[in-house]
Amino acid sequence: MSPVILRLALPSPLRRLFDYLPPAGVPAALQPGMRLRVPFGRREIIGILVELTTHSEVPADKLRPALQLLDRQPPLPASLFKLSLWAAQYYQHSLGDTFAWALPTLLRQGEPAETRIERIWHVSPGAQLDDPRLSRAPRQLEALRALSQHPHGVPQALLERLQLNRDSLKLLLDKGLIHIEERRQAPAERHGAWLAQAELPLNDEQRRAFEAVRAGFGQFHCALLAGVTGSGKTEVYLQLIRETLEAGKQALVLIPEINLGPQTLERFARRFNARIVLLHSALTDRERLDAWLAARDGAADIVIGTRSALFTPLKNPGLIIVDEEHDASYKQQEGLRYHARDLAAVRARLENIPLLLGSATPALESLHNAQSGRYALLRLNQRAGHAQPPRFIRLDIKSLPLDSGISGPLQQAIRQTLEAGQQVLVFLNRRGFAPTLLCHDCGWMSQCPRCDARMTYHQRSRELRCHHCDHRERPPAQCPKCNHLDLRPVGAGTERAEERLSTLFPDTEVLRIDRDSTSRKGSMDRLFQRIQHGEPCILIGTQMLAKGHHFPRVTLVAVLDADGGLFSADFRASERMAQQIIQVAGRAGRAEMPGKVVVQTHLADHPLLVQLTEQGYFAFAEQALSERRGAGLPPFAHLALLRADAHQPGQAEAFLDHACSLAEQMRDELKLETVELLGPVPAPMERRAGRHRAQLLLQAGNRATLHRLLTPWLQALEQLPGSRSVRWSIDVDPLDLF
Ligand code: ADP
Ligand code: ZN
Ligand code: ZN
């Protein structure tokens, strides 16, 4: 009989599996999904068993045995194992690396995939303090005496605190006077009813949405909850989760931004008497693994987290919710370039459970899926409770003087709001003081030495910073080109607007919320506490402010600059701009007081802006979808982007030229004429972080056709000469075309 051969996925960028013989002395109980330690070159690494076979391309004398089997059970449930296979195939990524994104770090390093074992130190039955063996060992006697004060034993972690000397303990152990009990950490128990707080009675729209999703419990289906900001989507989620818990199942909730985590957690924890885990970036590897295991073993009822939480295994999955499903943060931009919303749909199908996507500004892709019947469309058109929709004012700033980006009429509106004792939110999606530094004499501008981009002037830290490669330098005292001294910051970022607003409104607190002001741990929480306190204040911030927050005292929202999205080369720019404006506007008037949104623009009559502000997001989206259909753009076409970069100019293009000819050739052989190849072209930002970048776009009307080409093509690309001297990656369904 031919020997069993193990085919493993290894943490390698190569899109292939690796063959090994079983480790010595391992019974035949090997199952796909188990981890094995294997030799790889001169290193040892950990791989995942994908399949067992009897045939290998590798000559028998070259096959090496695996060293050690690490699991008695596959650590991933079957559904997540399949999800990883699906993701690797769909996103054209190495399977080994896909598993690496799906598994917690400690599991990749070989840690047991089981809850921690606690070690508890006890005095052995019959041990006596006057044991003759201790007569000349005062420290051991001391340790034994200390331990005997604890009839239930002392957990390992407390040994230090009790100042128990390890050497003495070891000697006592050898004498059999004490022993260690090993105990698996028992999962936290839960008692009583699920609800810790009464539910709000749902309004008619909410009830219809709720019933529609509940009717689908226990089977796969996708619903898009398209509800205007403040329409009570979260309340619908909460009641569906209660149903899920009552059915003895777990819920997984994805949120776009971890800054929203504490707020979401608090709202959920107030509502439920349930074991909730929040997966966030500040967790240690051990904490992350513990949370992962709790979810997998059914010791957590609700899991909340950002993008990567989609890979959290659940023992009894009941419902997946993706909140703010339009948010770009669900797309991973490196390594495995997956979209968590799209993978959530695949996972829901594998688990046979419903998926609920929610947003006030659904992605055009999702709306299209709803229109074509793939998702159920559930609309909430009214704000919940007594809140009114905010009123929009397009403020034409053509020929109006701007003071750090703030016009006179806007200043007035801010003043009135503050005088009425309410709060103001100013939105400007640009960090720093000014987007560039300009020499007034010769026109020199602060260019990044490593990118085709300008460096932003940050006044607080007195530096020029490139937001693309994070290059930092001191601003020059004089112009590097003409030596004149008249260097001026041009344009306004949040720092400058903050400074100006503080001067204009000296008696009012101005709170800046952007990546710079919230980088320190806890600073975001402190800022939010000040806002919730309710005193009149001005919030100035980037899109961080626009996402999901509930600020009951904000009645005026000001968008300082709406024009960027109206004339960008990126076909998604207008969709993003519309989502941003509506989301940030949605922070206004969420409680009893009505809200107002002032949009400063030079293009007050732009049809897109008029439609958005007068008829709302769904009218805009209809229009945008029909334009996409006309232009043959996503979601009416499917894209894949091959990006490459290299140190030398021209190298990336040369590689892409090769890749392109190869694709043309394969396209003809496989009769896939409908796949279009666009490029290669230099990337819109040709040089970034010192590397020269180029790209090749593939487009097809049919997803399956595109994939029929992608799979063999990428296999072949790995073999291309030159594929090692450039850095390249494939992005299936890219969000950004650069
Ligand atoms: P969304 O998630 O759509 O932005 P929320 O669920 O946060 O909306 O609800 C917005 C506000 O309306 C919250 O203060 C919430 O308590 C309130 N609310 C939601 N549903 C109801 C309801 N059925 N009756 C009264 N108030 C509600
Ligand atoms: Zn100059
Ligand atoms: Zn740079």
Side-chain angles (χ1 to χ4, degrees):
M1 202 181 85
S2 41
V4 172
I5 288 160
L6 313 182
R7 310 206 68 205
L8 266 66
L10 299 183
S12 145
L14 295 177
R15 290 164 183 79
R16 48 165 286 210
L17 299 176
F18 297 82
D19 294 353
Y20 287 89
L21 296 170
V26 166
L30 287 161
Q31 282 176 50
M34 290 179 167
R35 295 170 299 159
L36 291 124
R37 192 185 300 281
V38 296
F40 190 72
R42 262 178 268 155
R43 290 181 304 143
E44 286 180 13
I45 58 177
I46 291 173
I48 293 189
L49 180 60
V50 176
E51 57 192 21
L52 295 149
T53 176
T54 49
H55 171 78
S56 176
E57 302 288 322
V58 184
D61 59 337
K62 290 267 168 60
L63 275 176
R64 300 166 76 182
L67 301 168
Q68 188 193 359
L69 176 65
L70 297 175
D71 295 305
R72 274 172 300 172
Q73 290 293 323
L76 278 176
S79 59
L80 278 185
F81 184 74
K82 283 188 205 148
L83 183 70
S84 303
L85 297 184
W86 192 95
Q89 159 64 27
Y90 183 81
Y91 292 106
Q92 300 288 329
H93 197 69
S94 118
L95 180 58
D97 199 50
T98 301
F99 281 126
W101 287 101
L103 285 172
T105 310
L106 288 181
L107 291 190
R108 287 180 345 241
Q109 293 168 354
E111 193 77 8
E114 287 165 7
T115 42
R116 259 185 279 195
I117 291 174
E118 248 186 328
R119 292 157 62 90
I120 309 205
W121 296 69
H122 294 274
V123 174
S124 298
Q128 297 293 335
L129 289 175
D130 58 4
D131 190 294
R133 288 173 291 173
L134 299 182
S135 60
R136 266 180 288 148
R139 294 178 57 174
Q140 290 177 51
L141 182 59
E142 183 60 26
L144 186 64
R145 183 172 290 131
L147 206 55
S148 63
Q149 315 273 314
H150 298 267
H152 300 295
V154 174
Q156 178 94 8
L158 288 183
L159 291 182
E160 306 270 302
R161 197 119 31 99
L162 294 179
Q163 295 184 323
L164 284 164
N165 177 289
R166 297 226 172 205
D167 294 335
S168 311
L169 288 174
K170 171 95 179 36
L171 293 168
L172 288 170
L173 209 53
D174 292 344
K175 296 191 175 79
L177 292 171
I178 63 175
H179 68 274
I180 300 172
E181 176 203 4
E182 295 198 334
R183 196 155 68 192
R184 261 202 207 287
Q185 268 180 352
E189 288 294 331
R190 216 197 56 82
H191 301 283
W194 287 108
L195 281 181
Q197 177 197 48
E199 296 181 326
L200 295 172
L202 297 178
N203 62 35
D204 290 348
E205 287 183 329
Q206 284 175 314
R207 175 148 300 282
R208 270 197 295 277
F210 169 81
E211 296 291 354
V213 179
R214 189 179 55 173
F217 270 22
Q219 68 201 49
F220 167 61
H221 88 131
C222 295
L224 174 62
L225 182 60
V228 299
T229 53
S231 57
K233 295 184 289 296
T234 312
E235 186 62 36
V236 175
Y237 302 158
L238 287 168
Q239 300 203 12
L240 286 167
I241 291 172
R242 194 247 313 133
E243 292 275 329
T244 308
L245 299 175
E246 282 174 353
K249 305 248 157 120
Q250 299 162 285
L252 172 63
V253 181
L254 299 189
I255 54 174
E257 166 108 44
I258 206 53
N259 285 319
L260 285 167
Q263 199 188 331
T264 312
L265 178 65
E266 197 197 299
R267 202 163 164 188
F268 281 44
R270 246 185 292 136
R271 175 64 57 92
F272 294 119
N273 167 28
R275 298 160 299 183
I276 306 177
V277 301
L278 176 64
L279 296 164
H280 57 86
S281 54
L283 293 182
T284 64
D285 286 344
R286 185 68 233 184
E287 288 167 334
R288 186 173 304 278
L289 178 56
D290 286 345
W292 191 92
L293 292 169
R296 188 196 65 177
D297 299 339
D301 306 304
I302 304 173
V303 177
I304 305 172
T306 45
R307 182 176 66 219
S308 60
L310 188 263
F311 290 105
T312 314
L314 298 173
K315 185 172 187 200
N316 295 307
L319 175 66
I320 305 179
I321 294 173
V322 180
D323 191 24
E324 311 289 357
E325 63 85 31
H326 65 280
D327 200 279
S329 72
Y330 286 123
K331 170 81 177 177
Q332 177 150 289
Q333 304 283 12
E334 53 168 339
L336 175 67
R337 289 169 169 76
Y338 67 98
H339 200 300
R341 173 196 62 217
D342 300 344
L343 273 190
V346 178
R347 176 163 183 190
R349 179 160 47 77
L350 290 169
E351 312 258 29
N352 206 24
I353 57 173
L355 167 68
L356 180 59
L357 309 175
S359 175
T361 55
L364 295 183
E365 277 81 0
S366 300
L367 277 176
H368 177 59
N369 278 330
Q371 287 170 352
S372 63
R374 248 192 303 272
Y375 300 167
L377 182 60
L378 311 169
R379 293 279 298 261
L380 304 179
N381 298 308
Q382 308 292 326
R383 280 195 160 180
H386 303 289
Q388 295 300 308
R391 190 161 54 88
F392 277 93
I393 297 167
R394 291 189 306 281
L395 181 59
D396 191 345
I397 49 171
K398 269 196 310 286
S399 72
L400 276 187
L402 290 183
D403 185 350
S404 297
I406 306 158
S407 66
L410 178 56
Q411 286 178 31
Q412 262 173 14
I414 295 177
R415 178 157 291 119
Q416 280 168 6
T417 309
L418 295 173
E419 280 168 5
Q422 296 156 6
Q423 299 178 338
V424 176
L425 189 160
V426 178
F427 174 68
L428 176 60
N429 208 13
R430 203 186 289 137
R431 303 182 283 134
F433 189 81
T436 184
L437 210 54
L438 170 81
C439 170
H440 194 55
D441 287 305
C442 75
W444 170 89
M445 281 193 265
S446 52
Q447 192 76 31
C448 174
R450 309 172 67 216
C451 305
D452 294 332
R454 305 222 169 91
M455 285 188 287
T456 303
Y457 177 52
H458 286 250
Q459 190 172 57
R460 196 65 64 85
S461 53
R462 292 255 321 129
E463 60 187 358
L464 289 168
R465 235 188 262 170
C466 174
H467 288 180
H468 303 282
C469 71
D470 210 34
H471 173 81
R472 290 158 192 236
E473 54 186 65
R474 290 246 149 243
Q478 58 195 52
C479 174
K481 202 164 131 203
C482 74
N483 293 331
H484 281 104
L485 296 175
D486 195 1
L487 293 177
R488 300 180 182 183
V490 188
T494 46
E495 256 190 19
R496 189 173 209 165
E498 174 195 20
E499 187 186 86
R500 194 61 203 144
L501 288 164
S502 304
T503 317
L504 288 169
F505 303 98
D507 302 327
T508 304
E509 198 171 10
V510 178
L511 305 173
R512 176 162 59 91
I513 298 183
D514 57 27
R515 193 134 42 97
D516 301 322
S517 74
T518 57
S519 54
R520 249 177 308 137
K521 203 171 167 227
S523 49
M524 192 83 169
D525 283 350
R526 278 195 296 281
L527 284 166
F528 282 144
Q529 269 163 23
R530 300 246 282 281
I531 301 168
Q532 301 299 348
H533 201 252
E535 298 297 307
C537 64
I538 303 177
L539 322 174
I540 160 90
T542 55
Q543 39 112 18
M544 236 183 213
L545 263 184
K547 295 185 185 180
H549 299 290
H550 188 59
F551 302 134
R553 304 284 302 176
V554 169
T555 57
L556 173 65
V557 163
V559 178
L560 286 196
D561 178 12
D563 297 348
L566 295 174
F567 36 67
S568 164
D570 181 351
F571 74 89
R572 288 189 209 271
S574 61
E575 178 187 357
R576 278 211 191 116
M577 180 211 63
Q579 289 166 341
Q580 253 173 15
I581 290 182
I582 297 295
Q583 288 290 344
V584 71
R587 303 312 115 209
R590 288 173 66 91
E592 290 75 31
M593 297 167 292
K596 187 162 87 174
V597 184
V598 174
V599 181
Q600 291 195 145
T601 173
H602 291 92
L603 303 158
D605 300 326
H606 195 290
L608 218 155
L609 209 52
V610 174
Q611 188 180 39
L612 182 69
T613 53
E614 290 182 2
Q615 297 167 35
Y617 181 79
F618 294 96
F620 156 83
E622 280 299 320
Q623 171 79 23
L625 268 176
S626 76
E627 280 168 22
R628 294 263 188 100
R629 187 194 299 273
L633 287 167
F636 303 96
H638 302 280
L639 305 180
L641 187 64
L642 182 66
R643 297 188 180 89
D645 62 62
H647 282 298
Q648 303 298 325
Q651 251 181 335
E653 271 103 331
F655 169 74
L656 292 181
D657 275 332
H658 260 117
C660 190
S661 328
L662 199 61
E664 281 166 350
Q665 191 187 325
M666 292 181 137
R667 180 178 61 178
D668 295 344
E669 284 166 14
L670 298 167
K671 306 221 183 317
L672 302 168
E673 295 80 8
T674 50
V675 180
E676 284 179 80
L677 296 158
L678 307 165
V681 293
M685 186 186 296
E686 200 270 327
R687 203 167 52 101
R688 180 169 174 167
R691 298 181 68 95
H692 296 266
R693 308 153 75 226
Q695 60 195 36
L696 171 65
L697 186 66
L698 284 76
Q699 179 168 345
N702 181 293
R703 199 187 287 283
T705 312
L706 183 58
H707 270 83
R708 268 206 292 284
L709 179 62
L710 286 179
T711 305
W713 182 50
L714 285 159
Q715 299 275 353
L717 283 187
E718 282 178 357
Q719 315 300 326
L720 268 191
S723 74
R724 304 256 163 135
S725 54
V726 301
R727 202 164 59 184
W728 59 273
S729 63
I730 186 77
D731 190 348
V732 176
D733 303 337
L735 273 195
D736 293 313
L737 296 189
F738 54 80

